[in-house]
Amino acid sequence: MFEGRMLIDGEMTLGEGGAQGAFIESHDPATLMPLGRVPAATAADVDRAVRAAAAAQRDWAGRSVWERAALLRRLAAAIRSRGAEILQLEARDTGNTIGKLQADVEIAAGYLEYFAGLGSELKGETVPATATGLHFTLREPFGVVARIVPFNHPFMFAAAHLAAPLMAGNAVVIKTPETSPLSGTLLGELCREVLPRGLVAIVHGQGFPAGDALVRHPLIRRIGFTGSVTTGLAIQRAAAESAVKHVTLELGGKNPFIVFPDADLDQVVEHIIAGMNFSWAGQSCGSTSRLLLHDSIHDVVVERVAERLRKLRLGSPLDPAAEMGPVNSARQYARMQEFVESAVAAGARCVTGGRRPLGDEFANGYWLEPTLFSEVTPAMRIAREEIFGPIICALRWRDEREVIDLANDSPYGLTAAIWTRDLATSLRMSRAIESGTVWINTAGRHFVGMPFSGWKDSGLGGEECLEELLSYSRIKAVHVFS
Ligand code: NAD
């Protein structure tokens, strides 16, 4: 059994409750066997973490960006050196399959290195505001930044989300998700080894009290949140009730995958699978789960995707050959069942999936076959709400205006994939679609340095790019006269 700790003021700790305090139990979503536990932070633990971080931040902000960069690079190297251990724990705790999960360690280390290289971009400007004075701007840190992460890639998000705020001279308090929190302890150990005491804190706990106490803490002026729209709104409200705070949000999506009749259908089928991120059982904000198929190719694509889904290899998250594991938690599993039932009740056709897979290894745990619904109409819940699981729905369209309206008829605007061989169509569509990311003839891919940002209810603020670094600094104007 894994015994987790928090990192507070440079110590790996159980928090104020010690061994008698509250814990969050973690179990393997593939088998329901207990895996370990982490202490749940109290509001007092959060307060201690933030105050220690504030004390460490003063010295950190006084160091040159290159000194900070050197430590970020050391943290990246330390993460890689324990990569295998991190992945084993993460695969068991999340249900994500280890084959593709390998990338998470590299992505986390890669973002630390990417932002380490951008130090000189924390530059200001000079403005010729008067003939006699010198007018320039400085970019300064906020102090202590809170970053709250979701369950789908807990290690990758927690580690990668340290990079921009640390580089900009802030201290960081991370709150791990309440399901799959175990790898946060390993990140805590690595930060403790490499970074100045107290500069990074890792706390565990539920939204209440831990997350809420962090958001409302008077020393926290900058919050970066990744998670659901409902929680994002709650965080905006809590932040606004406590002080004027900068909040950025990376939230959910109901992302369209639009296929024109001229698209290469072999590629389309492969990318519908890739765009769904089945390695994490579809639990990815960017998953293109809403297929908008032209009437002329609708039936053939639905049949071919169904055939491909039936062949997906479900298996233990620790099996390198497995293409999909279980969904993450009891909450997620209940949600999936509810969506399947609502789709059937609304008259959608379950082309494949919708059930627990057969076989002893799937008898326990949160297993659901990859699922495809057709004959879905735009008003159905499965067409409108983010499912965040291995369920795809297919809708048909006949002309371009209709598909643009269908695609944009959503409160979300995170990603969209458009498949056509016609350049003019692809450019027209990329302008017409309301989302922060548009993929043409591909799906699901992130590119370091390109902004990942949600439109509408999908979020506020760009990440994975220079904008993320700059958003963790605030501008000061200096006017000098002799
Ligand atoms: P969630 O909103 O339930 O929880 C996310 C985090 O917020 C957890 O750490 C949770 O403990 C914390 N939290 C909950 N209530 C809180 C409160 N009142 N105050 C402060 N913190 C609180 O999300 P989830 O179920 O863990 O993750 C799934 C969601 O995340 C999906 O909607 C998905 O689309 C989204 N997501 C978005 C991105 C992106 O980059 N846009 C990436 C990954 C996941």
Side-chain angles (χ1 to χ4, degrees):
M1 290 284 283
F2 185 92
E3 282 289 334
R5 293 285 186 276
M6 297 188 279
L7 173 64
I8 297 179
D9 194 12
E11 299 297 335
M12 298 306 294
T13 173
L14 291 174
E16 65 165 356
Q20 311 314 317
F23 285 83
I24 296 177
E25 308 287 335
S26 215
H27 58 266
D28 182 339
T31 60
L32 304 190
M33 296 296 284
L35 273 183
R37 60 179 194 168
V38 295
T42 61
D45 291 324
V46 169
D47 181 57
R48 206 160 71 79
V50 175
R51 289 186 191 283
Q57 189 265 337
R58 283 188 279 278
D59 171 68
W60 180 249
R63 300 191 188 198
S64 77
V65 287
W66 306 118
E67 281 179 79
R68 291 183 219 149
L71 287 183
L72 261 58
R73 290 197 176 95
R74 275 184 53 196
L75 183 60
I79 287 172
R80 286 198 183 94
S81 74
R82 285 181 72 183
E85 182 190 353
I86 293 166
L87 290 170
Q88 286 281 324
L89 187 63
E90 188 83 329
R92 295 173 72 201
D93 201 18
T94 57
N96 294 343
T97 53
I98 200 154
K100 282 266 173 68
L101 191 62
Q102 310 270 356
D104 276 29
V105 162
E106 196 41 50
I107 292 170
Y111 274 111
L112 286 159
E113 290 168 341
Y114 166 69
F115 284 112
L118 289 182
S120 59
E121 293 303 317
L122 288 158
K123 61 197 177 196
E125 294 175 321
T126 58
V127 177
T130 65
T132 51
L134 174 63
H135 307 265
F136 63 93
T137 59
L138 294 171
R139 287 196 170 271
E140 297 196 354
F142 284 90
V144 187
V145 162
R147 296 209 78 164
I148 299 175
V149 299
F151 70 78
N152 57 337
H153 299 274
F155 185 88
M156 186 268 278
F157 280 129
H161 286 178
L162 292 174
L166 284 180
M167 197 56 203
N170 302 282
V172 186
V173 179
I174 298 270
K175 195 197 82 61
T176 64
E178 54 270 57
T179 62
S180 319
L182 299 184
S183 62
T185 298
L186 303 186
L187 182 62
E189 288 170 6
L190 293 166
C191 290
R192 181 171 183 267
E193 227 172 86
V194 172
L195 298 174
R197 178 181 182 132
L199 183 68
V200 167
I202 312 273
V203 296
H204 308 295
Q206 310 280 345
F208 293 92
D212 187 63
L214 186 56
V215 168
R216 291 177 189 269
H217 197 286
L219 292 180
I220 298 284
R221 289 278 179 182
R222 174 77 175 89
I223 299 155
F225 172 69
T226 306
S228 64
V229 176
T230 309
T231 309
L233 291 171
I235 286 175
Q236 279 188 318
R237 275 194 296 275
E241 280 167 12
S242 49
V244 174
K245 303 192 178 196
H246 295 250
V247 180
T248 50
L249 303 170
E250 289 286 345
L251 307 176
K254 186 72 187 176
N255 308 301
F257 189 114
I258 302 168
V259 186
F260 281 77
D262 67 339
D264 174 338
L265 294 191
D266 291 340
Q267 290 284 324
V268 162
V269 172
E270 280 318 301
H271 282 81
I272 287 172
I273 304 299
M276 273 301 292
N277 302 293
F278 283 109
S279 316
W280 354 114
Q283 299 162 123
S284 184
C285 55
S287 291
T288 36
S289 57
R290 198 161 50 111
L291 303 186
L292 305 183
L293 308 173
H294 187 268
D295 191 45
S296 62
I297 44 98
H298 174 280
D299 294 355
V300 62
V301 172
V302 163
E303 274 322 306
R304 288 183 62 184
V305 170
E307 198 180 306
R308 187 70 180 71
L309 291 177
R310 288 183 201 109
K311 288 187 187 141
L312 266 191
R313 182 163 170 172
L314 273 58
S316 160
L318 293 178
D319 175 355
E323 294 175 292
M324 184 177 130
V327 297
N328 179 264
S329 62
R331 182 184 75 154
Q332 278 292 98
Y333 194 57
R335 240 177 100 71
M336 296 309 111
Q337 287 173 318
E338 206 189 302
F339 272 108
V340 169
E341 282 162 22
S342 95
V344 171
R349 171 180 165 237
C350 185
V351 188
T352 187
R355 295 170 310 190
R356 179 182 286 276
L358 298 173
D360 288 350
E361 61 175 317
F362 308 120
N364 299 309
Y366 309 125
W367 293 95
L368 177 71
E369 284 177 349
T371 300
L372 172 64
F373 281 99
S374 69
E375 312 313 320
V376 173
T377 59
M380 289 182 190
R381 274 188 66 202
I382 49 161
R384 304 206 66 77
E385 296 178 26
E386 181 186 43
I387 299 178
F388 209 62
I391 302 177
I392 313 178
C393 65
L395 291 86
R396 58 174 97 222
W397 57 275
R398 288 178 187 82
D399 68 66
E400 192 173 308
R401 189 64 252 168
E402 184 188 1
V403 75
I404 292 169
D405 290 345
L406 263 180
N408 290 341
D409 178 23
S410 168
Y412 294 105
L414 192 59
T415 70
I418 297 163
W419 280 76
T420 171
R421 282 190 254 216
D422 185 70
L423 184 60
T425 305
S426 69
L427 293 178
R428 252 191 341 271
M429 289 296 292
S430 60
R431 285 175 187 272
I433 296 302
E434 296 168 353
S435 67
T437 293
V438 174
W439 292 296
I440 308 287
N441 296 331
T442 188
R445 298 166 70 190
H446 290 232
F447 300 89
V448 178
M450 285 296 284
F452 192 73
S453 63
W455 284 25
K456 303 195 277 187
D457 283 354
S458 290
L460 274 182
E463 297 196 342
E464 307 175 11
C465 62
L466 179 59
E467 182 186 340
E468 181 178 350
L469 176 67
L470 300 183
S471 78
Y472 284 93
S473 67
R474 48 188 171 177
I475 295 276
K476 179 181 280 173
V478 183
H479 308 282
V480 187
F481 290 90
S482 59

